[in-house]
C-alpha cells in the first residue's frame, strides 16, 4: 500500500508539473507561424478532415502551426488535445467554413469542438451542434457547440450555434472578439475568465424565457467571470441575462445594446435566496429598449469607475500581455 501511495503521489506530481509546463511555459516562439497545413475536400490540400490535421501536429508543440480550413461543411467532431498547444485554426469566413455535428450526450461529451491546450487561436469558423437547432419538436437537452478549456485562447470572428448550452466556456482566460453566439438556455456557461468584445448574442426562444449566461464562479478568490464589452443582444422572444450556476457567479455587461428581448428582472439567483450578495451581476452604460434597469432584481451591483476598471481587457485577462504575443490574424 505504501509503495502504491508513493507511486500515485509521484505520478500526480508529474501530471501537475506537466500541466503547469503546458499552461505557463510555452510561448509559441513569438508571433511567427512555423508552417501551414491546409484542410479541404478538394484541390491542393494536406488533409481532408480537420481532426487529421490536428493529429499531425507534434506533441508538446512550441511553435505556431496554422491549420487553414477551406470553405465547406465539415461534419465531424474535432478535439485539440492538451498536448498540442500553439495551434491556429483559420477558416475562410464563418458563413463559409462550418464545423457541425449532432449530439446531446451531456455537456462535455456532446461538444462538436473541444479545445484543451493553452495558446490556441480560432478565426472565421462556425461551430455548430445541430441537435436542438434543426429539429424543434424534439425534447431540448444540453448540446454543446464548443468547449473551450485551455488558457490564453483567442477566438475571432467565429460563430457558435446551438440552443441549450451552446458555448461551454469552461476554464482559462479567453478573448472573444466580433463573434456571434446563438442559443436560449444557458447558452454561454462555465467557469472561464473571459472577455467578449463586440459580440452579437442571439436569443432564439421557443417557450419560457431562457438565460444568456450561467456563470460558474465558485469562490470569492476565483478570477473567473464573463465580461461583455459593447456588442448587442437580440432575439425573437424574452430572455434573462443570466442565472447563478455557482454561488459567486460574476457577469458584467458594459456598453452593450439590449433589444426588447431582455426580461424586466434580468437576472436569477438560481435558488440562492439570501445569498445574492455573493453574486456580481452588473450593467454599466448599456443602451436600447432592454436596458431599463428600473425593474431589475434589487441585488444588481453598481460598480464604481475603479471597480469597472478591474474588468477592462487589460486588467481582467491580459495582465501578463499574452494577447500582445499572438500572430497577426488576416482581416
Amino acid at each position: 500500500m505504501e509503495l502504491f501511495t508513493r507511486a500515485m503521489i509521484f505520478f500526480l506530481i508529474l501530471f501537475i508539473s506537466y500541466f503547469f509546463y503546458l499552461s505557463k511555459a510555452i510561448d509559441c516562439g513569438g508571433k511567427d507561424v512555423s508552417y501551414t497545413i491546409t484542410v479541404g475536400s478538394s484541390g491542393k490540400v494536406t488533409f481532408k478532415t480537420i481532426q487529421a490535421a490536428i493529429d499531425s501536429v507534434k506533441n508538446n508543440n512550441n511553435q505556431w502551426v496554422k491549420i487553414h480550413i477551406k470553405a465547406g461543411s465539415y461534419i465531424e467532431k474535432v478535439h485539440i488535445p492538451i498536448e498540442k498547444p500553439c495551434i491556429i485554426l483559420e477558416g475562410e469566413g464563418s458563413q463559409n467554413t462550418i464545423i457541425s455535428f449532432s449530439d446531446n450526450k451531456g455537456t462535455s461529451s456532446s461538444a462538436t469542438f473541444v479545445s484543451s491546450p493553452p495558446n490556441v487561436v480560432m478565426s472565421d469558423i462556425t461551430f455548430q451542434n445541430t441537435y436542438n437547432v434543426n429539429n424543434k419538436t424534439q425534447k431540448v437537452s444540453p448540446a454543446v457547440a464548443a468547449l473551450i478549456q485551455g488558457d490564453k485562447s483567442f477566438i475571432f470572428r467565429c460563430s457558435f450555434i446551438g440552443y441549450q448550452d451552446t458555448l461551454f466556456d469552461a476554464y482559462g482566460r479567453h478573448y472573444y472578439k466580433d463573434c456571434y453566439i446563438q442559443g436560449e438556455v444557458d447558452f454561454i456557461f462555465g467557469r472561464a475568465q473571459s472577455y467578449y468584445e463586440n459580440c452579437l448574442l442571439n436569443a432564439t426562444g421557443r417557450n419560457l424565457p431562457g438565460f444568456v449566461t450561467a456563470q460558474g464562479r465558485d469562490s470569492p478568490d476565483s478570477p473567473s467571470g464573463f465580461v461583455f464589452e459593447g456588442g448587442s443582444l437580440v432575439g425573437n422572444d424574452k430572455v434573462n441575462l443570466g442565472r447563478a450556476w455557482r454561488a459567486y457567479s460574476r457577469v458584467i455587461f458594459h456598453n452593450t445594446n439590449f433589444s426588447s428581448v431582455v426580461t424586466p428582472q434580468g437576472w436569477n439567483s438560481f435558488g440562492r435566496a439570501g445569498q445574492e450578495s455573493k453574486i456580481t451581476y452588473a450593467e454599466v452604460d448599456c443602451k436600447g429598449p432592454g436596458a431599463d434597469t428600473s425593474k431589475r432584481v434589487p441585488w444588481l451591483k453598481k460598480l464604481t469607475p475603479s471597480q469597472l476598471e478591474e474588468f477592462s481587457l487589460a486588467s481582467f485577462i491580459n495582465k501578463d500581455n499574452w494577447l500582445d504575443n499572438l500572430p497577426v490574424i488576416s482581416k
Side-chain angles (χ1 to χ4, degrees):
M1 177 65 74
E2 184 178 356
L3 289 175
F4 177 78
T5 302
R6 287 179 180 175
M8 288 296 292
I9 292 173
F10 171 77
F11 284 114
L12 179 61
I13 292 172
L14 187 65
F15 174 79
I16 292 172
S17 300
Y18 180 65
F19 184 82
F20 180 82
Y21 164 76
L22 285 174
S23 299
K24 301 298 182 182
I26 291 175
D27 63 4
C28 302
K31 298 184 178 182
D32 294 334
V33 175
S34 59
Y35 65 94
T36 298
I37 302 167
T38 302
V39 177
S41 60
S42 61
K44 190 175 181 180
V45 299
T46 317
F47 295 99
K48 291 190 175 182
T49 69
I50 301 163
Q51 191 61 56
I54 292 169
D55 292 343
S56 74
V57 177
K58 69 179 182 180
N59 288 352
N60 305 323
N61 175 49
N62 61 1
Q63 301 289 322
W64 287 111
V65 174
K66 179 186 289 186
I67 299 175
H68 180 80
I69 309 168
K70 296 178 71 173
S73 181
Y74 298 84
I75 312 300
E76 59 175 303
K77 281 197 169 190
V78 177
H79 179 209
I80 306 178
I82 192 170
E83 64 270 16
K84 295 180 186 290
C86 305
I87 286 179
I88 303 167
L89 291 186
E90 177 191 70
E92 295 187 346
S94 62
Q95 299 297 314
N96 305 314
T97 304
I98 301 168
I99 306 171
S100 64
F101 207 80
S102 178
D103 195 348
N104 70 323
K105 297 180 178 67
T107 52
S108 296
S109 58
S110 69
T112 297
F113 173 74
V114 178
S115 179
S116 298
N119 298 293
V120 171
V121 175
M122 293 157 269
S123 74
D124 301 288
I125 301 169
T126 287
F127 303 94
Q128 180 174 241
N129 191 322
T130 61
Y131 179 78
N132 294 319
V133 176
N134 290 346
N135 188 348
K136 297 183 179 181
T137 62
Q138 64 194 5
K139 181 181 178 181
V140 173
S141 62
V144 175
L147 163 55
I148 315 295
Q149 56 188 356
D151 192 33
K152 296 187 289 187
S153 297
F154 176 40
I155 302 96
F156 183 43
R157 292 189 307 233
C158 287
S159 295
F160 302 88
I161 298 176
Y163 188 81
Q164 179 170 340
D165 300 338
T166 302
L167 176 56
F168 192 173
D169 200 16
Y171 300 100
R173 290 169 296 169
H174 307 155
Y175 179 33
Y176 299 83
K177 182 173 173 57
D178 299 340
C179 290
Y180 172 84
I181 308 167
Q182 175 181 308
E184 176 66 15
V185 182
D186 303 341
F187 65 97
I188 305 172
F189 75 106
R191 298 182 178 89
Q193 181 181 350
S194 294
Y195 195 90
Y196 297 78
E197 184 174 0
N198 193 35
C199 292
L200 175 59
L201 314 178
N202 185 14
T204 54
R206 298 176 196 169
N207 298 306
L208 296 175
F211 302 87
V212 176
T213 66
Q215 208 283 324
R217 185 169 177 255
D218 55 9
S219 78
D221 300 322
S222 170
S224 169
F226 297 161
V227 176
F228 295 86
E229 175 63 36
S232 299
L233 170 60
V234 299
N236 59 7
D237 209 335
K238 292 295 183 180
V239 72
N240 297 286
L241 296 173
R243 59 176 168 181
W245 184 33
R246 294 291 185 267
Y248 292 86
S249 184
R250 182 163 64 178
V251 180
I252 314 296
F253 283 95
H254 181 227
N255 281 327
T256 305
N257 188 74
F258 292 146
S259 74
S260 58
V261 299
V262 181
T263 63
Q265 71 275 9
W267 306 89
N268 188 296
S269 65
F270 205 24
R272 303 180 192 282
Q275 303 178 54
E276 292 91 347
S277 62
K278 299 177 180 178
I279 301 169
T280 302
Y281 289 156
E283 303 169 46
V284 183
D285 298 328
C286 293
K287 306 172 286 292
D292 180 3
T293 60
S294 62
K295 296 181 180 179
R296 289 291 195 265
V297 293
W299 39 271
L300 186 68
K301 292 288 194 298
K302 296 185 182 299
L303 302 180
T304 65
S306 62
Q307 288 173 323
L308 184 61
E309 175 59 28
E310 296 176 14
F311 299 106
S312 67
L313 179 64
S315 298
F316 191 57
I317 64 168
N318 196 39
K319 286 184 177 179
D320 59 356
N321 299 315
W322 66 273
L323 288 172
D324 303 326
N325 295 320
L326 296 175
V328 176
I329 305 300
S330 60
K331 294 183 179 180

